[in-house]
Amino acid sequence: MSKADMPKKPDWFDNKISIGNVISWLTVFASLVYMVAFVRADINTLNAFRDETKLEIRVFREQRAIDRDALLRMEGDIKVIRQIVEQQARATRP
């Protein structure tokens, strides 16, 4: 293979470390670190929201059970009151 057939190195690539290269790599690295930190913060926020939502759901379920028990007691009280009223109504009829 002759030198003419070899791929030619781009003119803009000089294989030297310059201040421009260092600044570019630092910018890329800083952006990557910022992006990872930002995504990490979002994940932590979502995890906190998930935990808070699970707690609220648990509280709502407990409150629903308490409300159900109260409604059952009210139904029982209403039945007793209805029986008392019906007995009084029968007693007052001639």
Side-chain angles (χ1 to χ4, degrees), residues 14 34 36 47 50-51 63 75-76 91:
D14 60 359
Y34 174 77
V36 167
N47 284 338
R50 182 195 63 199
D51 295 341
Q63 186 61 45
E75 282 180 359

Side-chain angles (χ1 to χ4, degrees), residues 4-66:
D5 295 337
M6 296 290 286
K8 187 177 168 189
K9 181 171 69 168
D11 293 335
W12 52 266
F13 184 74
D14 60 359
N15 204 19
K16 294 179 185 172
I17 296 177
S18 68
I19 189 73
N21 292 348
V22 172
I23 291 173
S24 296
W25 281 107
L26 286 176
T27 303
V28 168
F29 181 72
S31 298
L32 182 65
V33 168
Y34 174 77
M35 188 173 57
V36 167
F38 190 74
V39 169
R40 207 56 200 142
D42 281 349
I43 289 172
N44 290 339
T45 303
L46 287 173
N47 284 338
F49 178 75
R50 182 195 63 199
D51 295 341
E52 182 179 320
T53 304
K54 283 182 178 182
L55 179 64
E56 286 179 4
I57 289 172
R58 187 178 311 122
V59 168
F60 288 148
R61 285 182 179 161
E62 290 171 359
Q63 186 61 45
R64 186 178 67 182
I66 291 169

